[in-house]
Structures are given as structure tokens and as C-alpha cells.
């Protein structure tokens, strides 16, 4: 079994001082047998790269698909590599639903990330409305279709939109069934990728989630902004997955 992955997507949060304090705490406690990733906003990446222990990997929350040029406000995958990023989130539901990012655009972002040597954390998930209409499988299929012909290291994160930021994670049985479905689709595409779960993961529910071995790790939002709760989640994955 490979190492579980526990990633913190900081979203649009923290300032330089609060981020430095958080990283200083993480530096003291991070363990070898979990792949720990922090994903700060762009403004904090350089600082994070310079002070985070090298066992903590760095990821960005987004990128554009062009290498450089007149694209005001955008950041290229090459720039992220240059600053020390190994990972980049592509297709987070907030990018899809607040900023209108389409599967077509995300396909280009995945390809550009691959070219730059970044590992995308590709987020997929259905909205509450899609879930109610019974469209979950077709939505996930469509979102996964864009990874056709993209042989590249990749992490998939299943983040049901209705579980993000609500404090109520999906039930483990639902996560298990959905990840089975995702794995089947990945197999059909001959893509090998760890599959994470994201959506209200916190110390209270991390044990139950980590105990389901089909789940390769967690993509954490709110609980990743606090050193104690993030470290508890890391510790739970470490303990539960100990061989
Ligand atoms: P929460 O853990 O705050 O629900 O956020 C999950 C998420 O969107 C991670 O990318």
C-alpha cells in the first residue's frame, strides 16, 4: 500500500504572519509515512517554499495553461515549478462553479501542468442538485473524460460539492461506492491515480474515513488552516494505515 496523502487547500485564507506560524508548527510534527501537502494562496508560496520542512510538499490552488505572455492576473505552471511547487489543484469545484471553469479549459490546464512537470490534484464532484436528479455518475464521467490520453502522474480528489464547507462529510459508504466507480472509470482509461476524498474532513471524522482503505487520503479545507486539527488528521491517517 502506498503512503496516504493528506493535503491542505488553504483557499483564499491566511496572511504572511499567520501562515508562518502555521508552517512553523507543522515543521515540528510532520511524519515520513504520510505525503503531506500544503496548498497556500499564490502570495504565500514563495515564503512557504523557503520555510517549510522539505518533508512537506508544496502545491498551488490553480494555474493557467499558457507558458507566459499577456494574461494579466494569471500564473503559469512553469512559474509554479520555478517557485518550488510539486502539485497543483485543477478543477476545484469553487473554480468550476464560482469562476465558470469548464471541462474544456481544465483539459488544457491538465496538459500544461503535465508539460511543466507538476502533478495535478484533479478535483471532481457533483452538486446537490445533480445528486438529487440522479446525475452523479454522468457528471463524474464527464469530468473524468478529460483525462483521456493524458498519461501523466495524477491525483484525483472526489469532492462532492454539497459536502464542502458544510461541516457534514459524505457518509463513508457513499464515498466508498463513488470511489469504486471512479476507479473503474480510471481503469477503463488505463490511468493509475490515487483517489482522495475531500469535503468537511476534520479530526472527528478522519478515523472513519482513513479506515476505508479504498480512500488514498484526504483533501482538507477548513481543518487545514489550524495546525492542531491538520496534524491530528495526519496522525490519524498515519496510525490507521500503519502496516
Ligand atoms: P472543507 O474541508 O472546508 O469542506 O473544504 C474541502 C475542500 O474544498 C478542499 O479542497
Amino acid at each position: 500500500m502506498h503512503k496516504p496523502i493528506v493535503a491542505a487547500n488553504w483557499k483564499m485564507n491566511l496572511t504572511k504572519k499567520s501562515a508562518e506560524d502555521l508552517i512553523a508548527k507543522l515543521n515540528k510534527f510532520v511524519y515520513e509515512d504520510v505525503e503531506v501537502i500544503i496548498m497556500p494562496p499564490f502570495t504565500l508560496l514563495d515564503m512557504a517554499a523557503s520555510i517549510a520542512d522539505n518533508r512537506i510538499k508544496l502545491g498551488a490552488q490553480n494555474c493557467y495553461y499558457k507558458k507566459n505572455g499577456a494574461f494579466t492576473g494569471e500564473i503559469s505552471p512553469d512559474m509554479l515549478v520555478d517557485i518550488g511547487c510539486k502539485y497543483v489543484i485543477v478543477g476545484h469545484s469553487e473554480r468550476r462553479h464560482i469562476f465558470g471553469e469548464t471541462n474544456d479549459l481544465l483539459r488544457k490546464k491538465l496538459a500544461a501542468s503535465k508539460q511543466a512537470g507538476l502533478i495535478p490534484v484533479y478535483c471532481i464532484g457533483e452538486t446537490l442538485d445533480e445528486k438529487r436528479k440522479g446525475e452523479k455518475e454522468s457528471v463524474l464521467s464527464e469530468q473524468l473524460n478529460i483525462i483521456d490520453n493524458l498519461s501523466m502522474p495524477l491525483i484525483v480528489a472526489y469532492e462532492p460539492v454539497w459536502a464542502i464547507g458544510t461541516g457534514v462529510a459524505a457518509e463513508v459508504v457513499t464515498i466508498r461506492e463513488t470511489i469504486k466507480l471512479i476507479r473503474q472509470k480510471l481503469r477503463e482509461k488505463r490511468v493509475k491515480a490515487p483517489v482522495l476524498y475531500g469535503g468537511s474532513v476534520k479530526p472527528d471524522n478522519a478515523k472513519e474515513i482513513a479506515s476505508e482503505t479504498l480512500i488514498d487520503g484526504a483533501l482538507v479545507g477548513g481543518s487545514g488552516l489550524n495546525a492542531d486539527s491538520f496534524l491530528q488528521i495526519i496522525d490519524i491517517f498515519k496510525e490507521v494505515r500503519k502496516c
Side-chain angles (χ1 to χ4, degrees):
M1 205 191 299
H2 48 74
K3 279 199 230 180
I5 299 163
V6 181
N9 171 10
W10 292 4
K11 307 192 181 185
M12 197 176 74
N13 290 297
L14 303 187
T15 56
K16 199 161 167 241
K17 176 76 179 74
S18 54
E20 280 170 352
D21 291 348
L22 172 55
I23 293 172
K25 288 184 188 153
L26 299 183
N27 279 347
K28 291 192 198 143
F29 291 98
V30 169
Y31 308 104
E32 305 275 327
D33 25 20
V34 179
E35 176 83 348
V36 176
I37 309 170
I38 54 169
M39 299 167 135
F42 291 133
T43 51
L44 299 173
L45 284 171
D46 196 28
M47 176 279 291
S50 64
I51 70 163
D53 185 289
N54 59 17
R55 290 167 302 168
I56 301 173
K57 302 295 184 284
L58 198 60
Q61 299 171 19
N62 183 27
C63 65
Y64 196 49
Y65 66 89
K66 295 283 191 181
K67 267 182 154 341
N68 59 273
F71 302 102
T72 301
E74 294 297 325
I75 303 280
S76 76
D78 286 342
M79 290 168 168
L80 297 176
V81 171
D82 184 47
I83 216 165
C85 287
K86 180 173 175 189
Y87 297 96
V88 62
I89 296 178
V90 174
H92 191 278
S93 70
E94 286 142 23
R95 301 294 323 169
R96 291 177 189 269
H97 300 295
I98 302 174
F99 300 99
E101 295 197 358
T102 60
N103 284 328
D104 253 3
L105 174 67
L106 298 174
R107 186 198 305 270
K108 293 178 185 156
K109 291 191 177 195
L110 287 174
S113 305
K114 173 190 174 185
Q115 224 184 6
L118 287 169
I119 301 177
V121 177
Y122 179 51
C123 297
I124 59 173
E126 79 286 3
T127 62
L128 187 58
D129 192 42
E130 289 160 344
K131 175 168 112 105
R132 284 191 178 136
K133 289 185 187 149
E135 294 171 355
K136 175 166 98 175
E137 184 167 349
S138 62
V139 168
L140 296 179
S141 275
E142 243 175 78
Q143 293 173 336
L144 283 170
N145 275 343
I146 70 165
I147 63 175
D148 271 347
N149 306 318
L150 267 178
S151 63
M152 63 190 296
L154 176 78
I155 296 172
V156 172
Y158 171 54
E159 297 205 307
V161 181
W162 45 270
I164 294 177
T166 59
V168 183
E171 287 183 18
V172 171
V173 52
T174 307
I175 305 172
R176 182 194 309 131
E177 290 315 307
T178 312
I179 289 189
K180 271 192 197 158
L181 188 79
I182 293 168
R183 285 196 193 288
Q184 186 198 322
K185 298 202 181 292
L186 291 174
R187 265 196 306 277
E188 286 163 14
K189 297 177 190 314
R190 299 183 198 291
V191 172
K192 271 196 176 163
V195 184
L196 314 183
Y197 168 75
S200 298
V201 177
K202 43 193 177 176
D204 288 358
N205 57 24
K207 187 158 184 204
E208 205 192 344
I209 292 169
S211 303
E212 173 49 67
T213 51
L214 269 185
I215 307 172
D216 293 309
L219 180 54
V220 181
S223 296
L225 295 171
N226 174 283
D228 290 339
S229 55
F230 189 50
L231 287 167
Q232 277 182 58
I233 295 169
I234 295 168
D235 213 22
I236 289 168
F237 268 89
K238 179 191 161 209
E239 286 305 312
V240 171
R241 298 299 174 94
K242 217 185 253 170
C243 297

